[in-house]
Amino acid sequence: MRRTQVNLVMRRNRDKQVATQAAASPLCQASDRLKSSWRKSRRAALLAVLLGATSITSVGCSVMDRIKDGPHDTKASYHDDAAMRIEYPEVQQCATAPAEAAQQATEPLALEDPSQVPSFELTLEQAIQLAVQQSPVLRSIGGTVVSNPQGTSTTFDPALAHANPLSGTEAALSAFDAQFSQQLFWSNVDQPQNVAINPVIAAFTPTTLQESHGTYIAELSKQTAQGARFALRHNVDYNHSNRPNRAFRSDFVGFLEAEYRQPLMQGAGTTFNRIAGPNSGIGQYNGVLIARVNEDVALADFEAAVLNLVADVEQAYWDLSLGYRVLEANVKGRDAALQTFQYQQVRLEAGAGRSDEEAQAQSQYYQFRAQVESSLGGPEGLYAREQRLRYLIGLPATDGRLLKPTTTPTDVRVVFDWESALGQALSRRVEIRRQRFNTKRREMELTAARLNRRPRLDFLGKYRFRGLGDKLIGDGDNGEFDNLYGDITGGNFQEWQAGVEMDFPVGLRAASVAVAHATLNLRRERAVLAETELRVSHDLSDAARQIMLTHQLLETNYNRYLADQRQVDVLRRRYRDGTDNINFLLQAQRQVVTSEAEFYRSLTNYNLAIRDFHRQKGSLLAYNQVQLAEGQWAAGAYQDAYETGRHLTPRRNPGNVSVPAPLTTGPFDPSAPQAESFITAPATDAMLESNPPSHPAAKPTEPAAE
């Protein structure tokens, strides 16, 4: 139906446009259709109308309007119906947990009573565990997987970097694999020539050259890490000809050749070939070490994505806990406002109250009722917060249950040791590690560029065994030249060649520019590294400040809440005794709800500030007990690794062996727990001077495990 409507809209605009052009000039009266030569322009105009273009105005007629229709102008084209057809692709989709969760979603909750919905109790540890195990896609609160699927991080990203056929480690190692090539061709010659066998009658009997050719070429070559290239070649040529003066009417000619080419300047050495790769051009760096750095950068990006996921889960978890407390505060305010309103109604009916006070009490009741409804189904309400946490942990949007956080938030004062935290941040932050790898890559590129700024000087050596035979393979009974392989293996015809080749552009301009470019890249990455470390220290300082601030606000808002509770109790008694105005009571009821919500909001912010401090100092994964590990290998990978390891033995005298400089300082586990230096202080006397609210988080708790 939609396709039909689109065609009708296009047809109306087309007819309207043609009618406008025809009315503009008398010359257009006979041209009611567009000509085939500008049919494509017409389609572009119709597409603009379809996409929302305002109008297309045409004044007068062009020369093309005066051309009569051709024989094919009135025929429909297949392209007219198929050009803009919208179709749906056929793909194979596996039944996964996220796909099933998307199909199992029930009707969403909006204003239902949470106490009537079955609850699903969930700890913070369980929420993080579900989030990191449910799907290979690393989710985020914003849900950018729909708008930017290519930018979504997954568990496949490090493996994709490793298996990249252009820049992966295996792709770089393939440059050193042995290469085998062979060719086999047959050809025939039947060519008349102005050559006579009998010179006396040469002018009357020209000859015909008739030949059959066969060529076989095979080569096995190997590139080494030092830049040398070994090659073993075998050539066989078969020729059956009627040429005169031939010992054999058909023969086999061939040779077996070994070649060794070793660069002496440009392209020589293990360092250059491991960085740039063998036979690389100026400014091209695709070696094994560069591929290894690319994989490490991909691992750092994956770790950063996991950190963001864990941080988002904790954010959503404490936001949901806050949503429960805000809803509870608004419900208590609504119930208190309802009692005041009902009491005022009774007084008004008894003749002791005033109608304006009854209206004020009624207005405040509806105000709190609106806040309850908003805190229940609003954009920042309980159900919206619960759905965000559901998405992060991979559950259906709604399944008839309501997630209920059970982890008690921390309210004790936590003071971290600044020197220890700063040292950990500058060594454990994934952003610094990733930038260090980028700097290391630039250092290696500069080394390769300097080594490449040299002339090309190669040593070349060849040794060849030649042969000639009437047959390809024989018993050798007919003596010399009986068969080709017997002649080659006999070693009667041997050749060799040795020398050097030099080739370089005068001035080495391109290589010098590559060195300058690599130098600037290195300086830039070092500057970015220094700036990254400076920014990390500032972020850590801000996170430490937020811990102190949020805990102080936690105490302040707690005392404020207690004071507002006392104020409400006093004003309620005075109002019922008739000694005070209702306005003071209504204002106090609003204040106690606001102060209670602010207290729980401060409690949530304090726990998030602790999370942010761990994130800034690079210990968030260890803080949440999340470990990164490599997945299972393929079935035969373990056996291959075992067999390869049997040929690798440690060096008994490392000092006597010259080895390249190591790429890294050793393994690093970002999820390994660190020795924390912190002090937990109990709640202040101001927080304990009266009974706390009926919530476990408001009471002093044991120090949390950092």
Side-chain angles (χ1 to χ4, degrees), residues 543-607:
R545 185 185 304 108
Q546 290 300 316
I547 288 181
M548 295 183 287
L549 173 63
T550 52
H551 191 272
Q552 185 60 44
L553 289 176
L554 174 63
E555 295 182 351
T556 302
N557 288 323
Y558 177 75
N559 295 328
R560 171 190 172 187
Y561 175 45
L562 296 181
D564 288 339
Q565 276 188 329
R566 293 195 303 270
Q567 182 183 14
V568 169
D569 293 339
V570 173
L571 291 178
R572 183 183 295 111
R573 290 194 301 268
R574 295 177 61 182
Y575 167 69
R576 294 190 175 184
D577 293 341
T579 60
D580 209 342
N581 193 293
I582 193 175
N583 292 328
F584 296 104
L585 176 60
L586 297 178
Q587 182 179 1
Q589 289 177 345
R590 292 193 297 269
Q591 288 180 355
V592 73
V593 173
T594 302
S595 59
E596 183 179 1
E598 288 298 322
F599 164 69
Y600 288 115
R601 188 170 288 107
S602 300
L603 183 62
T604 299
N605 292 337
Y606 178 62
N607 284 266

Side-chain angles (χ1 to χ4, degrees), residues 514-563:
V515 172
H517 183 264
T519 303
L520 292 175
N521 271 331
L522 177 58
R523 292 180 179 179
R524 179 189 180 280
E525 297 301 334
R526 285 177 175 173
V528 172
L529 175 60
E531 191 66 24
T532 302
E533 293 177 343
L534 177 63
R535 184 64 206 180
V536 165
S537 65
H538 278 261
D539 292 342
L540 183 66
S541 177
D542 183 68
R545 185 185 304 108
Q546 290 300 316
I547 288 181
M548 295 183 287
L549 173 63
T550 52
H551 191 272
Q552 185 60 44
L553 289 176
L554 174 63
E555 295 182 351
T556 302
N557 288 323
Y558 177 75
N559 295 328
R560 171 190 172 187
Y561 175 45
L562 296 181

Side-chain angles (χ1 to χ4, degrees), residues 152-212:
T152 303
S153 299
T154 66
T155 58
F156 302 106
D157 293 347
L160 286 173
H162 176 78
N164 192 315
L166 299 178
S167 59
T169 304
E170 295 296 330
L173 288 173
S174 66
F176 302 98
D177 292 343
Q179 304 291 328
F180 178 75
S181 63
Q182 65 177 357
Q183 301 174 1
L184 178 61
F185 295 102
W186 293 94
S187 61
N188 180 61
V189 176
D190 192 5
Q191 179 181 355
Q193 294 184 342
N194 191 17
V195 178
I197 299 178
N198 190 352
V200 178
I201 56 174
F204 303 99
T205 57
T207 61
T208 301
L209 176 62
Q210 294 179 340
E211 291 183 340
S212 296

Side-chain angles (χ1 to χ4, degrees), residues 231-249:
L232 184 63
R233 301 187 189 93
H234 179 39
N235 285 28
V236 176
D237 291 331
Y238 168 76
N239 186 10
H240 183 281
S241 175
N242 63 351
R243 291 178 183 272
N245 302 324
R246 290 170 55 88
F248 308 112
R249 184 171 181 82

Side-chain angles (χ1 to χ4, degrees), residues 3 6-7 10 42-51 78-87:
R3 169 66 180 170
V6 172
N7 290 335
M10 296 175 61
R42 181 198 68 182
R43 184 173 291 108
L46 296 180
L47 182 59
V49 174
L50 178 63
L51 296 178
Y78 169 80
H79 183 71
D80 291 338
D81 295 330
M84 292 179 291
R85 180 184 300 164
I86 299 176
E87 299 179 356

Side-chain angles (χ1 to χ4, degrees), residues 423-690:
Q424 292 183 37
L426 296 179
S427 61
R428 294 174 59 90
R429 281 290 295 271
V430 62
E431 294 82 1
I432 294 180
R433 191 169 359 108
R434 177 175 52 193
Q435 186 57 32
R436 287 181 179 274
F437 273 115
N438 291 331
T439 305
K440 184 63 176 180
R441 175 169 52 193
R442 299 306 184 187
E443 291 177 354
M444 293 189 297
E445 289 178 356
L446 178 58
T447 301
R450 288 174 175 173
L451 293 175
N452 216 21
R453 191 174 57 180
R454 296 182 297 180
R456 183 77 183 189
L457 179 63
D458 295 352
F459 169 80
L460 178 63
K462 293 182 180 180
Y463 205 91
R464 184 182 301 119
F465 290 84
R466 285 193 177 273
L468 170 65
D470 184 23
K471 297 183 291 294
L472 182 64
I473 301 175
D475 52 10
D477 295 338
N478 298 328
E480 193 177 17
F481 308 119
D482 175 68
N483 62 87
L484 173 63
Y485 286 108
D487 208 33
I488 291 178
T489 56
N492 296 327
F493 306 97
Q494 301 182 23
E495 301 175 348
W496 61 270
Q497 180 186 9
V500 293
E501 293 180 356
M502 175 174 282
D503 179 22
F504 67 95
V506 178
L508 300 174
R509 179 181 300 184
S512 300
V513 171
V515 172
H517 183 264
T519 303
L520 292 175
N521 271 331
L522 177 58
R523 292 180 179 179
R524 179 189 180 280
E525 297 301 334
R526 285 177 175 173
V528 172
L529 175 60
E531 191 66 24
T532 302
E533 293 177 343
L534 177 63
R535 184 64 206 180
V536 165
S537 65
H538 278 261
D539 292 342
L540 183 66
S541 177
D542 183 68
R545 185 185 304 108
Q546 290 300 316
I547 288 181
M548 295 183 287
L549 173 63
T550 52
H551 191 272
Q552 185 60 44
L553 289 176
L554 174 63
E555 295 182 351
T556 302
N557 288 323
Y558 177 75
N559 295 328
R560 171 190 172 187
Y561 175 45
L562 296 181
D564 288 339
Q565 276 188 329
R566 293 195 303 270
Q567 182 183 14
V568 169
D569 293 339
V570 173
L571 291 178
R572 183 183 295 111
R573 290 194 301 268
R574 295 177 61 182
Y575 167 69
R576 294 190 175 184
D577 293 341
T579 60
D580 209 342
N581 193 293
I582 193 175
N583 292 328
F584 296 104
L585 176 60
L586 297 178
Q587 182 179 1
Q589 289 177 345
R590 292 193 297 269
Q591 288 180 355
V592 73
V593 173
T594 302
S595 59
E596 183 179 1
E598 288 298 322
F599 164 69
Y600 288 115
R601 188 170 288 107
S602 300
L603 183 62
T604 299
N605 292 337
Y606 178 62
N607 284 266
L608 291 177
I610 297 176
R611 176 210 65 175
D612 292 338
F613 190 84
H614 279 285
R615 185 178 185 180
Q616 296 301 331
K617 75 185 187 73
S619 58
L620 182 62
L621 295 183
Y623 175 63
N624 288 281
Q625 301 178 5
V626 177
Q627 295 183 354
L628 301 180
E630 187 178 4
Q632 290 292 328
W633 291 3
Y638 295 98
Q639 182 63 26
D640 294 341
Y642 170 75
E643 293 178 357
T644 303
R646 294 174 58 188
H647 302 283
L648 302 177
T649 57
R651 300 181 181 90
R652 301 191 180 278
N653 297 315
N656 299 332
V657 181
S658 177
V659 297
L663 183 63
T664 62
T665 57
F668 174 78
D669 185 5
S671 58
Q674 299 294 308
E676 302 288 353
S677 299
F678 64 92
I679 303 173
T680 57
T684 60
D685 295 337
M687 294 183 65
L688 303 176
E689 61 186 7
S690 59

